[in-house]
Amino acid sequence: MPALVDLGASVIIQDLERNYLFVTNLPQAWSSGLGDKPSDKSLFGDEIAEKLRVLKDGITRHGQKSHLEITVNSEEIFEFRVQAVALTSGAIHLVTTIVDRSEERHRERLLRALLREVSHRSKNLLAIIQSIALQTARYSVTLDMFLNKFRGRLYSLSQSQDLITDSSWRGAYFFELVQQQTEKYLPENAHLVRVSGDNVLLTPNASLHLGLALHELIVNAVSHGSLIKNGRAVAVTCNKVQANGQDSLEVRWDEGLAPQGRFGDAAEEDNLKAHFGSTVLERVVPASVNGKARYVISKDRISYSLVFPIENMTD
């Protein structure tokens, strides 16, 4: 009994007629009801007293025990454990211990909420991966081409997910997202990507899909070779704008091409564009953030713009 008290538990001893013989360490919620002749009703009120009566009526023999949980003020949760115990006199007594479970139950609720969130986000991520796999397979001529593109896109998702996780799932800041998606491909030429505008905190969904768009654009820039050769920095901007009467965000990628990097006629440009992740940039990404995209490859530049509602961002 002293050990229980030391652990913060309350202890009540009653005879089988429910007379109180001993009570100590009552929680503050009920301590005011402790008088000369305490009872379950005077201490805990009619509702709890009735629950305890039903519980104790079923306990008549030595060793029998039962328990119930009581919520007080919607925040405090107490566990009542009742056991029939034979004391030194040999008579059966009812020993009730009251343990505060508020913090423990709060942690359990939080854990359940987190597990539901993890499940929800995992399903979303799996849906994104499935979509990427299907789109990549549709526009891949060979297995090697599919694997190369698919691995790169998975890497992009993992990089964006790292930022989201580091922020406790709040999302990712735009500037950090650009840096993370481009630095792998420009380890010694980070200055070739210049970021400006509003460094907003994107939602997890917007972070994943915008990261995927940035991945496609930087891979394309490195693949066609003119980015490093001409030394012209890509301008990446992010600005809050008004679009269709809504507060929106506009993300732009503006890449100039050197003469040797210029493309030929329109047919050649269309052919190259088909291999430059245009499906991801023009369909998958804008659809995922309820936005609109424009992807243009001309003779002297490559530009991409994505506009989507600010409701897909977080403050």
Side-chain angles (χ1 to χ4, degrees):
M1 192 179 301
L4 288 172
V5 174
D6 288 343
L7 291 173
S10 306
V11 179
I12 298 171
I13 301 177
Q14 297 169 281
D15 58 25
L16 291 181
E17 283 71 43
R18 314 293 165 83
N19 296 311
Y20 271 61
L21 306 178
F22 177 83
V23 58
T24 185
N25 205 33
L26 273 178
Q28 186 176 1
W30 298 302
S31 59
S32 61
L34 189 60
D36 293 336
K37 293 183 178 181
S39 66
D40 287 349
K41 185 174 181 179
S42 67
L43 287 177
F44 307 113
D46 293 341
E47 183 178 350
I48 297 177
E50 177 60 21
K51 292 179 179 179
L52 289 173
R53 183 192 67 76
V54 173
L55 186 70
K56 293 173 181 178
D57 282 350
I59 301 175
T60 57
R61 297 195 310 275
H62 174 59
Q64 285 187 314
K65 57 185 176 180
S66 190
H67 70 96
L68 61 83
E69 284 193 357
I70 300 294
T71 301
V72 181
N73 301 325
S74 74
E75 293 293 334
E76 296 179 288
I77 300 174
F78 296 93
E79 180 184 11
F80 285 69
R81 299 176 184 173
V82 183
Q83 183 171 2
V85 177
L87 299 182
T88 53
S89 63
I92 302 297
H93 290 75
L94 297 175
V95 178
T96 301
T97 57
I98 306 173
V99 180
D100 189 345
R101 297 296 189 192
S102 304
E103 186 62 30
E104 182 179 336
R105 297 296 180 261
H106 173 71
R107 288 197 298 269
E108 289 174 357
R109 289 196 300 269
L110 180 61
L111 180 59
R112 284 195 296 270
L114 287 173
L115 289 174
R116 285 195 297 269
E117 183 69 13
V118 168
S119 176
H120 173 70
R121 292 184 183 277
S122 297
K123 289 176 181 177
N124 283 348
L125 192 57
L126 287 172
I128 294 171
I129 292 172
Q130 182 182 40
S131 174
I132 290 173
L134 290 172
Q135 294 294 342
T136 304
R138 183 176 298 174
Y139 295 95
S140 296
V141 178
T142 65
L143 178 60
D144 286 343
M145 180 184 293
F146 167 79
L147 291 175
N148 184 52
K149 290 185 176 181
F150 186 60
R151 286 168 181 162
R153 289 165 181 172
L154 284 185
Y155 177 80
S156 167
L157 286 177
S158 70
Q159 291 292 89
S160 298
Q161 186 64 45
D162 284 345
L163 288 178
I164 295 168
T165 303
D166 290 345
S167 70
S168 300
W169 292 350
R170 293 172 61 223
Y173 282 98
F174 179 76
F175 287 11
E176 293 178 1
L177 189 66
V178 175
Q179 179 183 0
Q180 192 177 60
Q181 291 295 334
T182 58
E183 63 184 1
K184 174 189 175 182
Y185 301 95
L186 298 169
E188 298 177 359
N189 296 278
H191 64 282
L192 292 180
V193 177
R194 295 178 182 173
V195 190
S196 62
D198 299 315
N199 189 23
V200 298
L201 179 62
L202 302 159
T203 63
N205 177 63
S207 300
L208 289 174
H209 286 93
L210 189 52
L212 192 60
L214 291 167
H215 165 78
E216 296 297 323
L217 290 164
I218 190 62
V219 168
N220 296 343
V222 172
S223 297
H224 63 62
S226 67
L227 177 62
I228 297 176
K229 288 180 181 179
N230 66 29
R232 297 181 183 178
V234 173
V236 184
T237 59
C238 175
N239 293 292
K240 295 177 182 178
V241 297
Q242 281 287 318
N244 299 320
Q246 286 184 292
D247 291 333
S248 302
L249 192 70
E250 181 182 34
V251 175
R252 295 185 61 86
W253 173 284
D254 191 14
E255 176 187 349
L257 302 176
Q260 64 270 25
R262 290 180 178 176
F263 300 125
D265 57 25
E268 183 183 358
E269 291 169 23
D270 290 341
N271 181 55
L272 286 164
K273 186 176 179 181
H275 295 284
F276 276 11
S278 61
T279 300
V280 171
L281 292 169
E282 294 180 310
R283 298 181 187 177
V284 176
V285 173
S288 301
V289 294
N290 195 29
K292 293 184 178 180
R294 187 167 183 267
Y295 183 36
V296 178
I297 298 178
S298 64
K299 295 184 181 298
D300 59 355
R301 68 193 323 96
I302 295 174
S303 64
Y304 177 74
S305 67
L306 173 67
V307 180
F308 58 96
I310 212 165
E311 64 185 12
N312 286 299
M313 301 159 35
T314 184
D315 294 331

